Amino acid sequence: MPGGAALIDWTSGLALGTVGDSPGGDQETAAVEAAEIARLAAEQHAFAPDDDAGAGAAGAGAPADAGPPVEDLIISNRDSYHVLRFVGASFDGSVFLHLWLARAEGNLALARIRLGEMAERLVPA
Amino acid sequence: MTTVRTTDHPRLPVRDKAAAASRAWSGVSPMLTRLAAEHATGVLLREHGTLHLHDGLVVHAESPSAPGLGTLLTARGTLSSEEWQRALADAEDGHGIGCRLVEGGLVAPGALEVCHLTALYDAAYFALAPSSTPGRFRYGTAHRFGPLHAVPVAALERETLRRRDLLRRIWPEARADTAPLARAHPVAAPALTRRRRAVLDRVDGARTAPDIARELGRPAFHTLVDVRRLTAAGLVRARGEPPPPVVREPPVVLAPPVPDPHITLLRRLRDALEAL
């Protein structure tokens, strides 16, 4: 089945793990490009509302229950869907899952739900 | 009126594998390359950190500059520090601490693997930094985390070089990576993300970037990225470094009194006419 997934750190652009094919052929390049998109979304105030402007100094970093600044990103093109799902703050909010699937066979709604479940399994509450 | 600022962050670098392969040797440590080729098992001690090898693959890395796996796991509340200490004490009998944490149901296997890989790449970045003394290798020492995920030496070196490139692109000056950090006061401070503000809040003239990483329970490299961006934005400077010079108007160069060429020409014309 054409498609695959990767777990990527968006600060460095490193793929911590990959399965399946890579979009564009090269896994490292795909990881860096996906990290670029993820970082942009996570750092722009329009997409990542800064909810605790006053609480920055309290505790060691963000509170453990604070979720990642963005939940997920969906990119669709002529022949595929890409879902980028941010993983919880246990990893400092710098890790996301990147799933891509062929548009002809993939079910975007289902993929998004399953990816969300996977992200939660990775970081048990 | 608000000004719209687009991101000024440089793109993440991609290392050209074809170009790297065509060069005679592209690694960062000839000794490590040789150890990988001979499938060595043991511990490589370098000036800024230690790499644990098993059958030529890197299974663990430690560096005084990077927070360890325990810090990463406990800082975010994934694991309490008592649980970590207990697991560390139990693991003395050679049983991998990683297996113990997972078997005890304390950490999900996926979470442990992510934290372990993050810590490994993070410490290896510092361990593989250029050093002034040669590294030493002790054969046959088992490392105590147990066989988790192993990383090929070539992949680790490639990632380390890519990370160096990334930092250099953000801000070329490396002094802030190790020196105590002090706040600077830029004319126009940019808006900060929550992550970067947490770093800036801890800049007090004494802490270094690795200190801040340890306190926040974040990988040290990630903190370096934030520190270099803060430096580039003019919010942070390495202590002991003179504050950036105030940008002055370029001095007005007074032109020497050159007579207007037209007047010179006219005078010569007049002189010529008078001479007729």
Side-chain angles (χ1 to χ4, degrees):
Chain A
M1 182 198 111
L7 183 69
I8 302 166
D9 173 89
W10 57 255
T11 304
S12 63
L14 170 72
L16 295 163
T18 49
V19 286
D21 312 317
S22 63
D26 184 68
Q27 275 172 347
E28 275 180 38
T29 310
V32 163
E33 288 175 358
E36 203 72 66
I37 283 274
R39 185 186 62 76
L40 277 172
E43 290 191 346
Q44 304 300 308
H45 286 266
F47 304 115
D50 208 3
D51 47 4
D52 63 346
D65 55 354
V70 175
E71 196 171 84
D72 60 9
L73 287 172
I74 297 168
I75 297 170
S76 61
N77 63 27
R78 205 167 50 237
D79 49 28
S80 58
Y81 292 124
H82 294 255
V83 186
L84 277 62
R85 174 83 194 200
F86 287 78
V87 176
S90 293
F91 303 128
D92 191 26
S94 182
V95 175
F96 68 97
L97 284 161
H98 175 198
L99 174 82
W100 59 96
L101 57 163
R103 196 172 171 135
E105 294 126 68
N107 178 336
L108 180 60
L110 193 62
R112 186 171 173 239
I113 293 167
R114 295 286 296 277
L115 199 62
E117 288 169 358
M118 273 170 72
E120 271 167 34
R121 259 210 309 281
L122 204 56
V123 193
Chain B
M1 196 188 94
T2 52
T3 43
V4 174
R5 293 176 69 100
T6 49
T7 176
D8 51 359
H9 186 77
R11 285 178 67 88
L12 290 168
V14 180
R15 284 202 78 82
D16 186 352
K17 270 182 272 183
S22 68
R23 265 176 272 145
W25 175 70
S26 60
V28 288
S29 159
M31 191 177 187
L32 187 58
T33 308
R34 202 189 68 234
L35 291 168
E38 67 181 49
H39 297 273
T41 297
V43 185
L44 176 64
L45 301 146
R46 284 174 59 93
E47 191 182 4
H48 301 293
T50 309
L51 296 179
H52 298 249
L53 273 74
H54 182 82
D55 199 19
L57 297 171
V58 182
V59 287
H60 186 63
E62 286 159 351
S63 168
S65 302
L69 179 62
T71 309
L72 294 186
L73 282 172
T74 53
R76 310 258 126 211
T78 311
L79 196 68
S80 73
S81 50
E82 296 83 55
E83 285 168 331
W84 170 255
Q85 289 303 332
R86 211 175 312 133
L88 207 59
D90 290 351
E92 291 301 333
D93 57 352
H95 197 75
I97 188 166
C99 310
R100 194 155 282 267
L101 288 171
V102 172
E103 280 165 16
L106 297 169
V107 182
L112 180 69
E113 198 162 319
V114 169
C115 274
H116 177 253
L117 269 180
T118 303
L120 192 160
Y121 276 100
D122 194 39
Y125 173 79
F126 296 96
L128 292 173
S131 55
S132 54
T133 53
R136 283 181 296 123
F137 190 69
R138 280 208 316 263
Y139 280 93
T141 320
H143 90 107
R144 62 181 184 179
F145 284 90
L148 268 163
H149 200 87
V151 179
V153 164
L156 194 64
E157 293 194 329
R158 200 162 60 236
E159 177 64 14
T160 299
L161 291 171
R162 206 179 60 78
R163 290 182 174 207
R164 274 187 211 167
D165 213 20
L166 169 59
L167 288 184
R168 194 178 44 74
R169 286 187 194 197
I170 297 171
W171 185 250
E173 184 59 57
R175 264 183 47 81
D177 293 1
T178 48
L181 300 170
R183 290 203 186 209
H185 301 282
V187 181
L192 292 176
T193 61
R194 194 168 69 190
R195 290 168 57 84
R196 225 164 294 154
R197 200 167 42 235
V199 174
L200 187 62
D201 284 342
R202 280 161 182 78
V203 170
D204 61 353
R207 293 185 177 103
T208 62
D211 294 339
I212 293 173
R214 212 163 290 121
E215 270 184 46
L216 292 173
R218 289 183 188 172
F221 174 79
H222 294 47
T223 309
L224 292 190
V225 169
D226 283 330
V227 165
R228 290 229 192 172
R229 281 166 168 187
L230 289 167
T231 312
L235 285 161
V236 161
R237 62 186 170 83
R239 256 193 54 198
E241 193 175 82
V246 180
V247 180
R248 281 196 219 99
E249 290 296 313
V252 180
V253 181
L254 290 171
V258 179
D260 191 318
H262 295 289
I263 294 176
T264 324
L265 181 69
L266 287 171
R267 274 192 193 136
R268 251 193 272 146
L269 251 173
R270 187 195 60 194
D271 293 349
L273 286 168
E274 280 175 355
L276 283 175

